[in-house]
Amino acid sequence: MTQIKVEDIIQRIEQFAPSYLAEDWDPIGLSFGTSDKVVNKLMIALDVDADTIQEAQELGIDLIFTHHPAIFKSLKTLNTENPRRNEYINLIKSDIAVFSAHTNIDAADYGMSDWLADAMELPKGREIISPSYQEGYKKLVVYVPERDVEEVRRALHNAGAGEVGDYQDVSYSIKGQGRFTPQKGADPAVGKIGKEEIVNEVRIEVMFPSQLTTNVITAVQTAHPYEEPVYDLYTLENEKKVYGYGRIADYEATTEEMIGKIISKFDLAGLKYASKDPKKLHKKIAVFGGAGADYYLEAKQKGATLFITGDVSYHNAQDMLRDGIDVIDAGHYIESVFVSEMSQVINKWKKEESWDLDIFPTKKQKDVFKFS
Ligand SMILES: [Zn+2]
């Protein structure tokens, strides 16, 4: 079992939902604690609030990982007289670190938008409602002595190279011979000074998003046995990868049917909706996590006639009906899928890397709204 620190978890989250996907206004990241703090107990929650802090204190939690950032408004004082500030003081006193991934999780592949679409059983092959980031690709070609191929390949994949669509660890290899003559001053891993050396090598090719270039080059330089690894770096003209918020899919259901499905999937006591005909059959349905009302026209443009989101106002709903769109306001709290989904993802990392870590999905967090 490997003891881990806050920074180890952050590094994996960064690969899953890179911070460059987050909006500029979004205060994601480590809001409390230090990155070299050892983590034995991790709690996962939608928000940091009085309930989750108390739960974390009782469980002896080292790090809380939340979707919504803990500090959204700038602080001018930090005294116990304001309830929210008092929560912050409690976190600091209890030495509990807090890390958040918000709009980067919303935009990530298989992040919040896809979790919600999954829960609503929208089929895969979904379209993004509001693209937020486009990313080009690079290719690295590196020549590695045969005996070190697996180690270098593993290092490349750990750095995030070789993810293509739904496939991981994608690479291409071909055998060949590398030649070199070490010169005075060299300290060769193979061969002798002044003597030409011929080594059986493998050419490995991997593709990766441009943002990972430094990671990937560092990984290959660290794992490669040679003093001077030879590699080529190419910028690819391939179609860029698009990230963004909300998902649309071809799916036939009425507003009424979707309401029933959402209530049962998320175990809701109720929800709001606006529809001129709840029995009308929709062919394209859109889902947008959080408060997505501002994006309904983008969903309409892409063919959706039912828009599912949270925090819809009276005037939002009026506008949508005027534009011929039915809306279901399932509440912002359906984003609590973050807790179960992220727990599963981190549990997978824990197994892969033999982390000595206990994961606690929050049990005390609940929706602030009730129905009567
Ligand atoms: Zn939210």
Side-chain angles (χ1 to χ4, degrees), residues 212-257:
L212 293 180
T213 306
T214 311
N215 276 5
V216 171
I217 300 290
T218 307
V220 84
Q221 282 173 333
T222 309
H224 201 293
Y226 287 180
E227 195 177 10
E228 302 284 356
V230 176
Y231 63 83
D232 313 322
L233 186 64
Y234 301 90
T235 299
L236 300 181
E237 297 285 329
N238 297 33
E239 195 181 345
K240 287 186 177 168
K241 172 155 180 54
V242 180
Y243 295 91
Y245 309 124
R247 299 288 183 267
I248 290 188
D250 292 319
Y251 188 67
E252 288 197 5
T254 64
T255 300
E256 209 170 60
E257 284 165 352

mmCIF file of all heavy atoms in Angstrom, residues 212-257:
data_model
loop_
_atom_site.group_PDB
_atom_site.id
_atom_site.type_symbol
_atom_site.label_atom_id
_atom_site.label_comp_id
_atom_site.label_asym_id
_atom_site.label_seq_id
_atom_site.Cartn_x
_atom_site.Cartn_y
_atom_site.Cartn_z
ATOM 1 N N LEU A 212 -0.564 18.491 -22.706
ATOM 2 C CA LEU A 212 0.220 17.533 -21.907
ATOM 3 C C LEU A 212 1.679 17.458 -22.351
ATOM 4 O O LEU A 212 2.448 16.645 -21.826
ATOM 5 C CB LEU A 212 -0.399 16.126 -22.020
ATOM 6 C CG LEU A 212 -1.779 15.939 -21.399
ATOM 7 C CD1 LEU A 212 -2.247 14.508 -21.605
ATOM 8 C CD2 LEU A 212 -1.755 16.261 -19.917
ATOM 9 N N THR A 213 2.072 18.320 -23.300
ATOM 10 C CA THR A 213 3.407 18.191 -23.899
ATOM 11 C C THR A 213 4.526 18.122 -22.843
ATOM 12 O O THR A 213 5.360 17.219 -22.870
ATOM 13 C CB THR A 213 3.681 19.358 -24.883
ATOM 14 O OG1 THR A 213 2.605 19.376 -25.823
ATOM 15 C CG2 THR A 213 4.986 19.159 -25.630
ATOM 16 N N THR A 214 4.540 19.071 -21.916
ATOM 17 C CA THR A 214 5.614 19.096 -20.909
ATOM 18 C C THR A 214 5.617 17.811 -20.086
ATOM 19 O O THR A 214 6.672 17.197 -19.869
ATOM 20 C CB THR A 214 5.437 20.318 -19.974
ATOM 21 O OG1 THR A 214 5.238 21.458 -20.799
ATOM 22 C CG2 THR A 214 6.638 20.544 -19.095
ATOM 23 N N ASN A 215 4.432 17.383 -19.652
ATOM 24 C CA ASN A 215 4.302 16.128 -18.869
ATOM 25 C C ASN A 215 4.884 14.951 -19.621
ATOM 26 O O ASN A 215 5.608 14.121 -19.072
ATOM 27 C CB ASN A 215 2.819 15.770 -18.681
ATOM 28 C CG ASN A 215 2.204 16.486 -17.516
ATOM 29 O OD1 ASN A 215 2.868 17.324 -16.920
ATOM 30 N ND2 ASN A 215 0.971 16.152 -17.209
ATOM 31 N N VAL A 216 4.502 14.871 -20.910
ATOM 32 C CA VAL A 216 4.891 13.709 -21.709
ATOM 33 C C VAL A 216 6.400 13.704 -21.954
ATOM 34 O O VAL A 216 7.066 12.672 -21.808
ATOM 35 C CB VAL A 216 4.092 13.684 -23.041
ATOM 36 C CG1 VAL A 216 4.620 12.622 -23.982
ATOM 37 C CG2 VAL A 216 2.611 13.442 -22.758
ATOM 38 N N ILE A 217 6.960 14.867 -22.282
ATOM 39 C CA ILE A 217 8.407 14.947 -22.529
ATOM 40 C C ILE A 217 9.184 14.631 -21.239
ATOM 41 O O ILE A 217 10.168 13.874 -21.252
ATOM 42 C CB ILE A 217 8.810 16.370 -23.038
ATOM 43 C CG1 ILE A 217 8.087 16.695 -24.340
ATOM 44 C CG2 ILE A 217 10.322 16.491 -23.193
ATOM 45 C CD1 ILE A 217 8.514 15.913 -25.546
ATOM 46 N N THR A 218 8.712 15.180 -20.127
ATOM 47 C CA THR A 218 9.373 14.892 -18.846
ATOM 48 C C THR A 218 9.315 13.393 -18.547
ATOM 49 O O THR A 218 10.294 12.791 -18.114
ATOM 50 C CB THR A 218 8.685 15.677 -17.691
ATOM 51 O OG1 THR A 218 8.643 17.040 -18.063
ATOM 52 C CG2 THR A 218 9.424 15.525 -16.379
ATOM 53 N N ALA A 219 8.152 12.784 -18.806
ATOM 54 C CA ALA A 219 7.993 11.352 -18.531
ATOM 55 C C ALA A 219 8.965 10.527 -19.370
ATOM 56 O O ALA A 219 9.605 9.598 -18.862
ATOM 57 C CB ALA A 219 6.553 10.931 -18.825
ATOM 58 N N VAL A 220 9.106 10.880 -20.639
ATOM 59 C CA VAL A 220 9.974 10.076 -21.507
ATOM 60 C C VAL A 220 11.442 10.295 -21.114
ATOM 61 O O VAL A 220 12.242 9.352 -21.096
ATOM 62 C CB VAL A 220 9.696 10.366 -23.004
ATOM 63 C CG1 VAL A 220 10.430 11.564 -23.537
ATOM 64 C CG2 VAL A 220 10.017 9.158 -23.855
ATOM 65 N N GLN A 221 11.800 11.508 -20.745
ATOM 66 C CA GLN A 221 13.188 11.774 -20.346
ATOM 67 C C GLN A 221 13.537 11.046 -19.044
ATOM 68 O O GLN A 221 14.652 10.592 -18.855
ATOM 69 C CB GLN A 221 13.421 13.281 -20.198
ATOM 70 C CG GLN A 221 13.588 13.930 -21.569
ATOM 71 C CD GLN A 221 13.659 15.437 -21.514
ATOM 72 O OE1 GLN A 221 13.116 16.047 -20.609
ATOM 73 N NE2 GLN A 221 14.310 16.035 -22.492
ATOM 74 N N THR A 222 12.559 10.927 -18.152
ATOM 75 C CA THR A 222 12.802 10.253 -16.871
ATOM 76 C C THR A 222 12.887 8.736 -17.054
ATOM 77 O O THR A 222 13.759 8.084 -16.480
ATOM 78 C CB THR A 222 11.661 10.595 -15.877
ATOM 79 O OG1 THR A 222 11.510 12.013 -15.862
ATOM 80 C CG2 THR A 222 11.965 10.117 -14.471
ATOM 81 N N ALA A 223 11.992 8.181 -17.872
ATOM 82 C CA ALA A 223 11.922 6.718 -17.991
ATOM 83 C C ALA A 223 12.945 6.152 -18.973
ATOM 84 O O ALA A 223 13.340 4.988 -18.870
ATOM 85 C CB ALA A 223 10.511 6.317 -18.433
ATOM 86 N N HIS A 224 13.393 6.958 -19.925
ATOM 87 C CA HIS A 224 14.299 6.468 -20.965
ATOM 88 C C HIS A 224 15.698 6.240 -20.383
ATOM 89 O O HIS A 224 16.195 7.084 -19.639
ATOM 90 C CB HIS A 224 14.370 7.497 -22.105
ATOM 91 C CG HIS A 224 14.835 6.924 -23.394
ATOM 92 N ND1 HIS A 224 16.128 6.464 -23.568
ATOM 93 C CD2 HIS A 224 14.208 6.714 -24.574
ATOM 94 C CE1 HIS A 224 16.266 6.015 -24.806
ATOM 95 N NE2 HIS A 224 15.093 6.142 -25.443
ATOM 96 N N PRO A 225 16.352 5.111 -20.709
ATOM 97 C CA PRO A 225 17.657 4.831 -20.087
ATOM 98 C C PRO A 225 18.792 5.686 -20.652
ATOM 99 O O PRO A 225 19.821 5.840 -19.986
ATOM 100 C CB PRO A 225 17.891 3.351 -20.426
ATOM 101 C CG PRO A 225 17.114 3.130 -21.680
ATOM 102 C CD PRO A 225 15.908 4.019 -21.584
ATOM 103 N N TYR A 226 18.641 6.204 -21.873
ATOM 104 C CA TYR A 226 19.753 6.923 -22.515
ATOM 105 C C TYR A 226 19.985 8.292 -21.889
ATOM 106 O O TYR A 226 19.058 8.948 -21.427
ATOM 107 C CB TYR A 226 19.480 7.129 -24.010
ATOM 108 C CG TYR A 226 19.610 5.889 -24.858
ATOM 109 C CD1 TYR A 226 19.376 5.943 -26.237
ATOM 110 C CD2 TYR A 226 19.967 4.666 -24.298
ATOM 111 C CE1 TYR A 226 19.484 4.815 -27.036
ATOM 112 C CE2 TYR A 226 20.068 3.529 -25.093
ATOM 113 C CZ TYR A 226 19.827 3.609 -26.455
ATOM 114 O OH TYR A 226 19.924 2.494 -27.241
ATOM 115 N N GLU A 227 21.273 8.707 -21.968
ATOM 116 C CA GLU A 227 21.649 10.046 -21.517
ATOM 117 C C GLU A 227 20.959 11.105 -22.395
ATOM 118 O O GLU A 227 20.508 12.131 -21.928
ATOM 119 C CB GLU A 227 23.169 10.173 -21.632
ATOM 120 C CG GLU A 227 23.771 11.328 -20.899
ATOM 121 C CD GLU A 227 25.303 11.325 -21.020
ATOM 122 O OE1 GLU A 227 25.864 10.538 -21.817
ATOM 123 O OE2 GLU A 227 25.918 12.121 -20.339
ATOM 124 N N GLU A 228 20.916 10.809 -23.702
ATOM 125 C CA GLU A 228 20.288 11.738 -24.654
ATOM 126 C C GLU A 228 19.214 10.996 -25.451
ATOM 127 O O GLU A 228 19.459 10.558 -26.575
ATOM 128 C CB GLU A 228 21.332 12.298 -25.646
ATOM 129 C CG GLU A 228 22.504 13.017 -25.025
ATOM 130 C CD GLU A 228 22.160 14.412 -24.522
ATOM 131 O OE1 GLU A 228 21.014 14.858 -24.727
ATOM 132 O OE2 GLU A 228 23.047 15.030 -23.907
ATOM 133 N N PRO A 229 18.026 10.828 -24.872
ATOM 134 C CA PRO A 229 16.976 10.123 -25.630
ATOM 135 C C PRO A 229 16.671 10.885 -26.926
ATOM 136 O O PRO A 229 16.637 12.115 -26.913
ATOM 137 C CB PRO A 229 15.764 10.174 -24.706
ATOM 138 C CG PRO A 229 16.248 10.628 -23.381
ATOM 139 C CD PRO A 229 17.545 11.342 -23.582
ATOM 140 N N VAL A 230 16.480 10.119 -28.019
ATOM 141 C CA VAL A 230 16.131 10.779 -29.289
ATOM 142 C C VAL A 230 14.621 10.681 -29.466
ATOM 143 O O VAL A 230 14.051 9.592 -29.370
ATOM 144 C CB VAL A 230 16.847 10.097 -30.475
ATOM 145 C CG1 VAL A 230 16.392 10.718 -31.792
ATOM 146 C CG2 VAL A 230 18.353 10.236 -30.317
ATOM 147 N N TYR A 231 13.992 11.820 -29.663
ATOM 148 C CA TYR A 231 12.549 11.800 -29.912
ATOM 149 C C TYR A 231 12.185 12.899 -30.897
ATOM 150 O O TYR A 231 12.909 13.872 -31.061
ATOM 151 C CB TYR A 231 11.757 11.945 -28.606
ATOM 152 C CG TYR A 231 11.968 13.252 -27.875
ATOM 153 C CD1 TYR A 231 11.256 14.394 -28.245
ATOM 154 C CD2 TYR A 231 12.859 13.345 -26.817
ATOM 155 C CE1 TYR A 231 11.447 15.597 -27.574
ATOM 156 C CE2 TYR A 231 13.062 14.539 -26.141
ATOM 157 C CZ TYR A 231 12.352 15.664 -26.524
ATOM 158 O OH TYR A 231 12.535 16.849 -25.866
ATOM 159 N N ASP A 232 11.060 12.691 -31.597
ATOM 160 C CA ASP A 232 10.517 13.709 -32.505
ATOM 161 C C ASP A 232 9.153 14.107 -31.969
ATOM 162 O O ASP A 232 8.368 13.251 -31.567
ATOM 163 C CB ASP A 232 10.309 13.161 -33.927
ATOM 164 C CG ASP A 232 11.503 12.384 -34.423
ATOM 165 O OD1 ASP A 232 12.638 12.793 -34.123
ATOM 166 O OD2 ASP A 232 11.293 11.352 -35.099
ATOM 167 N N LEU A 233 8.883 15.395 -32.002
ATOM 168 C CA LEU A 233 7.589 15.887 -31.550
ATOM 169 C C LEU A 233 6.890 16.548 -32.732
ATOM 170 O O LEU A 233 7.456 17.432 -33.365
ATOM 171 C CB LEU A 233 7.835 16.916 -30.431
ATOM 172 C CG LEU A 233 6.632 17.474 -29.714
ATOM 173 C CD1 LEU A 233 5.890 16.382 -28.956
ATOM 174 C CD2 LEU A 233 7.080 18.559 -28.722
ATOM 175 N N TYR A 234 5.674 16.075 -33.057
ATOM 176 C CA TYR A 234 4.929 16.629 -34.198
ATOM 177 C C TYR A 234 3.659 17.325 -33.723
ATOM 178 O O TYR A 234 2.995 16.840 -32.802
ATOM 179 C CB TYR A 234 4.465 15.516 -35.138
ATOM 180 C CG TYR A 234 5.550 14.653 -35.717
ATOM 181 C CD1 TYR A 234 5.956 13.504 -35.056
ATOM 182 C CD2 TYR A 234 6.119 14.970 -36.944
ATOM 183 C CE1 TYR A 234 6.940 12.688 -35.605
ATOM 184 C CE2 TYR A 234 7.097 14.160 -37.495
ATOM 185 C CZ TYR A 234 7.510 13.023 -36.815
ATOM 186 O OH TYR A 234 8.461 12.220 -37.360
ATOM 187 N N THR A 235 3.310 18.412 -34.377
ATOM 188 C CA THR A 235 1.988 19.005 -34.173
ATOM 189 C C THR A 235 1.060 18.405 -35.225
ATOM 190 O O THR A 235 1.383 18.421 -36.408
ATOM 191 C CB THR A 235 2.045 20.535 -34.344
ATOM 192 O OG1 THR A 235 2.950 21.042 -33.361
ATOM 193 C CG2 THR A 235 0.676 21.182 -34.137
ATOM 194 N N LEU A 236 -0.057 17.864 -34.800
ATOM 195 C CA LEU A 236 -0.962 17.170 -35.737
ATOM 196 C C LEU A 236 -2.050 18.109 -36.258
ATOM 197 O O LEU A 236 -2.475 19.031 -35.567
ATOM 198 C CB LEU A 236 -1.606 15.974 -35.033
ATOM 199 C CG LEU A 236 -0.632 14.917 -34.504
ATOM 200 C CD1 LEU A 236 -1.397 13.771 -33.858
ATOM 201 C CD2 LEU A 236 0.261 14.388 -35.619
ATOM 202 N N GLU A 237 -2.472 17.820 -37.473
ATOM 203 C CA GLU A 237 -3.555 18.601 -38.105
ATOM 204 C C GLU A 237 -4.907 17.932 -37.872
ATOM 205 O O GLU A 237 -5.923 18.382 -38.401
ATOM 206 C CB GLU A 237 -3.305 18.703 -39.619
ATOM 207 C CG GLU A 237 -2.042 19.448 -40.000
ATOM 208 C CD GLU A 237 -2.162 20.952 -39.840
ATOM 209 O OE1 GLU A 237 -3.280 21.467 -40.008
ATOM 210 O OE2 GLU A 237 -1.142 21.592 -39.538
ATOM 211 N N ASN A 238 -4.910 16.836 -37.088
ATOM 212 C CA ASN A 238 -6.169 16.120 -36.829
ATOM 213 C C ASN A 238 -7.231 17.075 -36.296
ATOM 214 O O ASN A 238 -6.895 18.093 -35.706
ATOM 215 C CB ASN A 238 -5.972 15.041 -35.755
ATOM 216 C CG ASN A 238 -5.012 13.973 -36.193
ATOM 217 O OD1 ASN A 238 -4.071 14.257 -36.921
ATOM 218 N ND2 ASN A 238 -5.228 12.759 -35.742
ATOM 219 N N GLU A 239 -8.483 16.673 -36.474
ATOM 220 C CA GLU A 239 -9.582 17.475 -35.950
ATOM 221 C C GLU A 239 -9.396 17.678 -34.444
ATOM 222 O O GLU A 239 -9.003 16.744 -33.737
ATOM 223 C CB GLU A 239 -10.901 16.735 -36.204
ATOM 224 C CG GLU A 239 -12.106 17.600 -36.031
ATOM 225 C CD GLU A 239 -13.394 16.823 -36.270
ATOM 226 O OE1 GLU A 239 -13.333 15.712 -36.845
ATOM 227 O OE2 GLU A 239 -14.429 17.323 -35.858
ATOM 228 N N LYS A 240 -9.655 18.899 -33.986
ATOM 229 C CA LYS A 240 -9.438 19.182 -32.575
ATOM 230 C C LYS A 240 -10.490 18.506 -31.710
ATOM 231 O O LYS A 240 -11.605 18.272 -32.150
ATOM 232 C CB LYS A 240 -9.459 20.691 -32.344
ATOM 233 C CG LYS A 240 -8.214 21.343 -32.878
ATOM 234 C CD LYS A 240 -8.148 22.790 -32.539
ATOM 235 C CE LYS A 240 -6.821 23.318 -33.058
ATOM 236 N NZ LYS A 240 -6.749 24.745 -33.045
ATOM 237 N N LYS A 241 -10.097 18.249 -30.468
ATOM 238 C CA LYS A 241 -11.052 17.673 -29.533
ATOM 239 C C LYS A 241 -11.818 18.818 -28.875
ATOM 240 O O LYS A 241 -11.236 19.810 -28.485
ATOM 241 C CB LYS A 241 -10.296 16.868 -28.477
ATOM 242 C CG LYS A 241 -11.169 16.406 -27.378
ATOM 243 C CD LYS A 241 -10.633 15.183 -26.684
ATOM 244 C CE LYS A 241 -11.563 14.744 -25.575
ATOM 245 N NZ LYS A 241 -12.929 14.539 -26.028
ATOM 246 N N VAL A 242 -13.133 18.642 -28.791
ATOM 247 C CA VAL A 242 -13.978 19.700 -28.244
ATOM 248 C C VAL A 242 -14.496 19.274 -26.870
ATOM 249 O O VAL A 242 -14.935 18.137 -26.688
ATOM 250 C CB VAL A 242 -15.178 19.971 -29.184
ATOM 251 C CG1 VAL A 242 -16.067 21.068 -28.616
ATOM 252 C CG2 VAL A 242 -14.681 20.343 -30.571
ATOM 253 N N TYR A 243 -14.389 20.185 -25.922
ATOM 254 C CA TYR A 243 -14.971 19.974 -24.590
ATOM 255 C C TYR A 243 -16.091 20.979 -24.400
ATOM 256 O O TYR A 243 -16.094 22.035 -25.041
ATOM 257 C CB TYR A 243 -13.926 20.232 -23.500
ATOM 258 C CG TYR A 243 -12.772 19.268 -23.503
ATOM 259 C CD1 TYR A 243 -11.618 19.532 -24.231
ATOM 260 C CD2 TYR A 243 -12.833 18.099 -22.747
ATOM 261 C CE1 TYR A 243 -10.554 18.639 -24.212
ATOM 262 C CE2 TYR A 243 -11.773 17.209 -22.723
ATOM 263 C CZ TYR A 243 -10.631 17.488 -23.465
ATOM 264 O OH TYR A 243 -9.585 16.618 -23.447
ATOM 265 N N GLY A 244 -17.003 20.699 -23.491
ATOM 266 C CA GLY A 244 -18.039 21.692 -23.236
ATOM 267 C C GLY A 244 -19.136 21.191 -22.334
ATOM 268 O O GLY A 244 -19.101 20.059 -21.828
ATOM 269 N N TYR A 245 -20.130 22.068 -22.170
ATOM 270 C CA TYR A 245 -21.169 21.857 -21.164
ATOM 271 C C TYR A 245 -22.469 21.345 -21.784
ATOM 272 O O TYR A 245 -22.846 21.758 -22.875
ATOM 273 C CB TYR A 245 -21.457 23.176 -20.457
ATOM 274 C CG TYR A 245 -20.209 23.848 -19.945
ATOM 275 C CD1 TYR A 245 -19.889 25.150 -20.323
ATOM 276 C CD2 TYR A 245 -19.332 23.165 -19.107
ATOM 277 C CE1 TYR A 245 -18.744 25.767 -19.861
ATOM 278 C CE2 TYR A 245 -18.175 23.775 -18.644
ATOM 279 C CZ TYR A 245 -17.887 25.074 -19.024
ATOM 280 O OH TYR A 245 -16.752 25.674 -18.579
ATOM 281 N N GLY A 246 -23.163 20.523 -21.012
ATOM 282 C CA GLY A 246 -24.475 20.038 -21.425
ATOM 283 C C GLY A 246 -24.361 18.989 -22.523
ATOM 284 O O GLY A 246 -23.357 18.930 -23.233
ATOM 285 N N ARG A 247 -25.365 18.136 -22.623
ATOM 286 C CA ARG A 247 -25.368 17.091 -23.646
ATOM 287 C C ARG A 247 -26.755 16.991 -24.281
ATOM 288 O O ARG A 247 -27.764 17.139 -23.595
ATOM 289 C CB ARG A 247 -25.009 15.728 -23.028
ATOM 290 C CG ARG A 247 -23.626 15.663 -22.378
ATOM 291 C CD ARG A 247 -22.491 15.669 -23.399
ATOM 292 N NE ARG A 247 -21.192 15.530 -22.774
ATOM 293 C CZ ARG A 247 -20.402 16.536 -22.406
ATOM 294 N NH1 ARG A 247 -20.801 17.788 -22.601
ATOM 295 N NH2 ARG A 247 -19.235 16.313 -21.839
ATOM 296 N N ILE A 248 -26.755 16.699 -25.588
ATOM 297 C CA ILE A 248 -28.003 16.448 -26.322
ATOM 298 C C ILE A 248 -27.910 15.073 -26.940
ATOM 299 O O ILE A 248 -26.836 14.693 -27.429
ATOM 300 C CB ILE A 248 -28.166 17.436 -27.488
ATOM 301 C CG1 ILE A 248 -28.430 18.819 -26.949
ATOM 302 C CG2 ILE A 248 -29.296 17.037 -28.412
ATOM 303 C CD1 ILE A 248 -28.798 19.776 -28.041
ATOM 304 N N ALA A 249 -29.022 14.352 -26.944
ATOM 305 C CA ALA A 249 -29.007 13.047 -27.603
ATOM 306 C C ALA A 249 -30.341 12.799 -28.292
ATOM 307 O O ALA A 249 -31.365 13.376 -27.911
ATOM 308 C CB ALA A 249 -28.733 11.953 -26.586
ATOM 309 N N ASP A 250 -30.308 11.933 -29.308
ATOM 310 C CA ASP A 250 -31.537 11.452 -29.927
ATOM 311 C C ASP A 250 -32.185 10.506 -28.934
ATOM 312 O O ASP A 250 -31.589 9.479 -28.584
ATOM 313 C CB ASP A 250 -31.223 10.659 -31.214
ATOM 314 C CG ASP A 250 -30.663 11.580 -32.289
ATOM 315 O OD1 ASP A 250 -31.172 12.703 -32.420
ATOM 316 O OD2 ASP A 250 -29.711 11.172 -32.980
ATOM 317 N N TYR A 251 -33.363 10.861 -28.468
ATOM 318 C CA TYR A 251 -34.025 10.002 -27.488
ATOM 319 C C TYR A 251 -35.505 10.324 -27.513
ATOM 320 O O TYR A 251 -35.898 11.486 -27.382
ATOM 321 C CB TYR A 251 -33.444 10.268 -26.090
ATOM 322 C CG TYR A 251 -33.910 9.299 -25.036
ATOM 323 C CD1 TYR A 251 -33.532 7.958 -25.092
ATOM 324 C CD2 TYR A 251 -34.724 9.718 -23.980
ATOM 325 C CE1 TYR A 251 -33.962 7.063 -24.127
ATOM 326 C CE2 TYR A 251 -35.148 8.821 -23.009
ATOM 327 C CZ TYR A 251 -34.767 7.498 -23.084
ATOM 328 O OH TYR A 251 -35.187 6.616 -22.127
ATOM 329 N N GLU A 252 -36.308 9.296 -27.715
ATOM 330 C CA GLU A 252 -37.749 9.531 -27.807
ATOM 331 C C GLU A 252 -38.408 9.335 -26.453
ATOM 332 O O GLU A 252 -38.374 8.230 -25.898
ATOM 333 C CB GLU A 252 -38.364 8.590 -28.847
ATOM 334 C CG GLU A 252 -37.990 8.988 -30.254
ATOM 335 C CD GLU A 252 -38.895 8.356 -31.302
ATOM 336 O OE1 GLU A 252 -39.870 7.683 -30.940
ATOM 337 O OE2 GLU A 252 -38.601 8.564 -32.500
ATOM 338 N N ALA A 253 -38.988 10.397 -25.939
ATOM 339 C CA ALA A 253 -39.732 10.310 -24.676
ATOM 340 C C ALA A 253 -40.584 11.560 -24.554
ATOM 341 O O ALA A 253 -40.286 12.590 -25.166
ATOM 342 C CB ALA A 253 -38.781 10.222 -23.496
ATOM 343 N N THR A 254 -41.654 11.451 -23.765
ATOM 344 C CA THR A 254 -42.474 12.631 -23.500
ATOM 345 C C THR A 254 -41.911 13.330 -22.262
ATOM 346 O O THR A 254 -41.132 12.735 -21.502
ATOM 347 C CB THR A 254 -43.939 12.233 -23.214
ATOM 348 O OG1 THR A 254 -43.955 11.459 -22.007
ATOM 349 C CG2 THR A 254 -44.521 11.403 -24.347
ATOM 350 N N THR A 255 -42.347 14.582 -22.062
ATOM 351 C CA THR A 255 -41.930 15.318 -20.859
ATOM 352 C C THR A 255 -42.355 14.528 -19.617
ATOM 353 O O THR A 255 -41.579 14.363 -18.682
ATOM 354 C CB THR A 255 -42.574 16.715 -20.873
ATOM 355 O OG1 THR A 255 -42.132 17.384 -22.059
ATOM 356 C CG2 THR A 255 -42.186 17.533 -19.653
ATOM 357 N N GLU A 256 -43.571 14.019 -19.663
ATOM 358 C CA GLU A 256 -44.119 13.257 -18.541
ATOM 359 C C GLU A 256 -43.253 12.033 -18.214
ATOM 360 O O GLU A 256 -42.937 11.778 -17.056
ATOM 361 C CB GLU A 256 -45.510 12.778 -18.966
ATOM 362 C CG GLU A 256 -46.497 12.598 -17.881
ATOM 363 C CD GLU A 256 -47.882 12.351 -18.502
ATOM 364 O OE1 GLU A 256 -48.066 11.369 -19.257
ATOM 365 O OE2 GLU A 256 -48.758 13.178 -18.248
ATOM 366 N N GLU A 257 -42.856 11.325 -19.266
ATOM 367 C CA GLU A 257 -42.015 10.133 -19.043
ATOM 368 C C GLU A 257 -40.669 10.513 -18.435
ATOM 369 O O GLU A 257 -40.154 9.825 -17.540
ATOM 370 C CB GLU A 257 -41.783 9.387 -20.371
ATOM 371 C CG GLU A 257 -42.983 8.593 -20.830
ATOM 372 C CD GLU A 257 -42.900 8.160 -22.304
ATOM 373 O OE1 GLU A 257 -41.984 8.603 -23.038
ATOM 374 O OE2 GLU A 257 -43.777 7.380 -22.700
#
